[in-house]
Amino acid sequence: MEREDLFRKISVANDKKIVLLVLDGLGGLPVNDRTELETARTPNLDLLAAESELGLSHPIAPGITPGSGPAHLSLFGYDPLKYEIGRGILEALGVGVSVGARSVAVRGNFATLENGVISDRRAGRIATEKNREIVAFLRERIKTIEDVEVGIYPGEEHRFVLVLTGDALSDGVTDADPEVTGKPITYAKAKNEEAARTARIANLFIDRLTRELADFHPANTCLLRGFAKYPAIPSLNELFKLKAAAIAVYPMYKGLAQLVGMEILETGRTLQDQVATLKRHYGEYDFFFLHVKKTDSYGEDGDFSHKVGIIEEFDRWLPEILELTPDVLVVTGDHSTPAVMKGHSWHPNPVLLKSAFQRRLPANGASLDAIACGPPDGQACGKVNVASARAKFSETACARGVLGTFNAMEVLPLMMANALKFKKFGA
Amino acid sequence: MEREDLFRKISVANDKKIVLLVLDGLGGLPVNDRTELETARTPNLDLLAAESELGLSHPIAPGITPGSGPAHLSLFGYDPLKYEIGRGILEALGVGVSVGARSVAVRGNFATLENGVISDRRAGRIATEKNREIVAFLRERIKTIEDVEVGIYPGEEHRFVLVLTGDALSDGVTDADPEVTGKPITYAKAKNEEAARTARIANLFIDRLTRELADFHPANTCLLRGFAKYPAIPSLNELFKLKAAAIAVYPMYKGLAQLVGMEILETGRTLQDQVATLKRHYGEYDFFFLHVKKTDSYGEDGDFSHKVGIIEEFDRWLPEILELTPDVLVVTGDHSTPAVMKGHSWHPNPVLLKSAFQRRLPANGASLDAIACGPPDGQACGKVNVASARAKFSETACARGVLGTFNAMEVLPLMMANALKFKKFGA
């Protein structure tokens, strides 16, 4: 039996509530012997950790550094090697465009055509404002090609997203990109017969755009890459009978949540807004995904102390979430983003799972982990209360946790089990 | 290479002895901060734990609660999602009926037919004694249908098992069950052409039984469900070159052991009987599966203290098993049955593996676990000797064990390796 068939078979709906709190890029690497999470003063997380199951999760597999797409698919319970999200789709999600089953999404670059050859594949990295103007102009002029609807959406600098919508479109199309400068426009080619129409439409689009932008040098042509259809992912409702909602600020994460059938709740840009949104809709769903972006952003910037600051801010809002008394609560990351690496990494995610049916290491066991407690100045351990002094939510404590080290795609099944939403398998 | 092909390729027979001691439903959840295993006074297990490899094993996958069938398949080294044991087969195993390759096993309910409709799907839950009388009566009257042998075996209350034996029988047959009362007899339907004959025989059986039981109201007809053939599982001998024997009291576990080709040793109902059986046959086999049922039974009853008592009883018999000095000894569960949950759960099993080739945590590692040692009254730690004071066989110690957290289907390969029954793979 396949893993997903097992989930379909044993999942049951009930009124228990699951809350998944994702601090993007949470895991880190030490500076002065402590990671970002270990450096942060997090009395509320520490108190919770003392009463929770801890562990570490690999987003994909040991040693594999994931992008946000596969990392989130894994957290949502899917095998990220089974479902690949094409670049075009990710790009569309990133600019907040929904892509339906009849559409193909494509990454576009504005580029420069001079003397019949591409002289700059990024059109001199035009300003984003200029990009928006050009896209507005093109939208007026190119609305359909044959019977295919054309959607054009601006990105940053020279980037845009093209969404073609019509019957029988295919993503079996090669990139329309010479890859180096000094070559003429390279057209898309169909990889198979079914894709012939899509390739023709894409190439007609390139020609139309190039004609329309004749006076827009340096942005007077385009490259098209990463043709991708919406992946056929079974929804969280199909697999797990969950009624799921997402509380995310950034379009990419809303898009990823939408891919698996979550409803996207309107929310503001601050953590306070997100927590308020969670409270407002708490009665309406049985699964909530709340996404905190800035831990990752500061990690990518190599800004250790601001990443610490975001973790501390999250810690201050945690009690308001705990007041909702969810039946199952998880705090984790989608992948690690150590500030010292200025980028995503393969290091496994800290995982904290709180439920009524947890095993945890007993108090005196947890006290072993208290070695890692408190910030470098040595003050916090004396200040925090006894319970929180017993454990610290940290990579170190998680590495010794009762959950062990496991694959992130098992986080959702574990939450399902703890919410008693899984029946017994076999007799 | 497939996992099983690897085992076939590298397994060798030798004279080393493996003993697998399964305390059914061993793992638990804490009451007053200690699980059943942590509460039990187990000086012998603790002494052994201090000299063994410890770990935790998931019966199927994180979050999945298994029935006894898949949980034991996994312990016997098989992928439990690859081999599904149909309900009819499990039911037959449960009443102690062997089912051969030419047979189809079916779960039967005696039911009540009134005015042409099923008025009770369980015939008023007739007494088990009455069931036995009816089955004895039917056995005299229905021995074959066409050229198919008919076997009828009583279960508890209204339940019985039907075994059809003949050529070209199939389990591709729908349930003969209206599922609700107030409907007429529902006949079995073939799901494919090969099953047509089996469906016809099953329906003839229903009609014959209904005629024979005309005067047996409320048990005057039957429902048939869960048609299942014997799963084609390669034996432990085929995969691992083991000569294996089972020492189990309950029919279901004897049946599961038989499924994988173990010989079933005659034994009495007590643990003392089972240990005596092990000693008596110790020279004849190289693999022994000894199954203790009552840890699970008391767990299912929610009886924490009696589950503790069975673990303590097992601990008292352990030295007699150790006197046999098996080359590899494992103590584990098939799944957890926390008394607080009154049922099977998904929590991983404690695993203890003792062999001459083990790694174990050094003394200071083990000593950390000594904190959890001894019963709540605090006496035992003072009584046991230094070695046993260093470790406790507990979920907590296993969570920190050198084996880590792994899948239960890897327990048998680990035992094989430690018994030097696996050759090197590749050169």
Side-chain angles (χ1 to χ4, degrees), chain B residues 99-213:
Chain B
V99 180
R102 291 174 65 239
S103 299
V104 169
V106 194
R107 303 165 73 190
N109 271 16
F110 289 113
T112 310
L113 187 67
E114 284 175 332
N115 305 319
V117 299
I118 303 285
S119 61
D120 188 332
R121 293 175 60 254
R122 295 179 189 86
R125 293 190 181 273
I126 51 169
T128 301
E129 252 331 292
K130 184 73 189 162
N131 179 330
R132 288 175 194 280
E133 279 171 35
I134 298 172
V135 166
F137 173 85
L138 287 172
R139 280 181 165 184
E140 286 303 308
R141 278 164 178 75
I142 315 179
K143 295 187 171 170
T144 60
I145 293 179
E146 296 180 4
D147 59 345
V148 172
E149 282 172 54
V150 175
I152 315 173
Y153 306 90
E156 304 289 309
E157 300 180 332
H158 55 285
R159 299 184 196 90
F160 68 91
V161 174
L162 170 68
V163 178
L164 301 173
T165 304
D167 293 330
L169 293 179
S170 161
D171 56 7
V173 168
T174 62
D175 290 351
D177 180 357
E179 290 181 9
V180 291
T181 53
K183 290 194 175 176
I185 290 174
T186 301
Y187 289 98
K189 287 186 205 59
K191 294 178 187 171
N192 50 56
E193 260 181 54
E194 296 83 67
R197 177 165 178 256
T198 310
R200 195 182 70 246
I201 300 285
N203 293 333
L204 286 170
F205 173 80
I206 295 172
D207 287 340
R208 278 278 291 280
L209 176 143
T210 307
R211 268 203 311 279
E212 297 290 354
L213 298 185

Side-chain angles (χ1 to χ4, degrees), chain B residues 54-294:
Chain B
L54 302 181
L56 288 175
S57 77
H58 287 292
I60 313 290
I64 308 301
T65 297
S68 299
H72 273 81
L73 275 193
S74 183
L75 266 186
F76 298 157
Y78 299 83
D79 180 348
L81 295 177
K82 177 171 177 182
Y83 299 104
E84 279 187 80
I85 309 171
R87 277 304 317 204
I89 294 291
L90 264 184
E91 207 80 1
L93 298 179
V95 301
V97 178
S98 303
V99 180
R102 291 174 65 239
S103 299
V104 169
V106 194
R107 303 165 73 190
N109 271 16
F110 289 113
T112 310
L113 187 67
E114 284 175 332
N115 305 319
V117 299
I118 303 285
S119 61
D120 188 332
R121 293 175 60 254
R122 295 179 189 86
R125 293 190 181 273
I126 51 169
T128 301
E129 252 331 292
K130 184 73 189 162
N131 179 330
R132 288 175 194 280
E133 279 171 35
I134 298 172
V135 166
F137 173 85
L138 287 172
R139 280 181 165 184
E140 286 303 308
R141 278 164 178 75
I142 315 179
K143 295 187 171 170
T144 60
I145 293 179
E146 296 180 4
D147 59 345
V148 172
E149 282 172 54
V150 175
I152 315 173
Y153 306 90
E156 304 289 309
E157 300 180 332
H158 55 285
R159 299 184 196 90
F160 68 91
V161 174
L162 170 68
V163 178
L164 301 173
T165 304
D167 293 330
L169 293 179
S170 161
D171 56 7
V173 168
T174 62
D175 290 351
D177 180 357
E179 290 181 9
V180 291
T181 53
K183 290 194 175 176
I185 290 174
T186 301
Y187 289 98
K189 287 186 205 59
K191 294 178 187 171
N192 50 56
E193 260 181 54
E194 296 83 67
R197 177 165 178 256
T198 310
R200 195 182 70 246
I201 300 285
N203 293 333
L204 286 170
F205 173 80
I206 295 172
D207 287 340
R208 278 278 291 280
L209 176 143
T210 307
R211 268 203 311 279
E212 297 290 354
L213 298 185
D215 298 332
F216 282 73
H217 184 282
N220 60 1
T221 189
C222 74
L223 318 179
L224 298 179
R225 293 181 297 160
F227 289 76
K229 291 211 74 161
Y230 199 82
I233 303 183
S235 72
L236 286 179
N237 189 263
E238 272 178 79
L239 285 190
F240 298 106
K241 299 190 180 64
L242 290 172
K243 195 177 171 206
I247 305 168
V249 177
Y250 284 67
M252 164 86 88
Y253 307 94
K254 293 185 197 176
L256 288 165
Q258 215 170 21
L259 265 184
V260 298
M262 291 191 207
E263 278 198 48
I264 311 304
L265 303 181
E266 281 288 327
T267 192
R269 296 192 69 83
T270 68
L271 198 43
Q272 181 171 20
D273 295 333
Q274 290 180 278
V275 172
T277 303
L278 174 64
K279 287 181 171 180
R280 197 160 53 244
H281 293 276
Y282 194 68
E284 300 163 37
Y285 303 89
D286 55 12
F287 181 95
F288 296 89
F289 158 58
L290 191 152
H291 180 260
V292 178
K293 171 66 181 167
K294 286 191 175 160

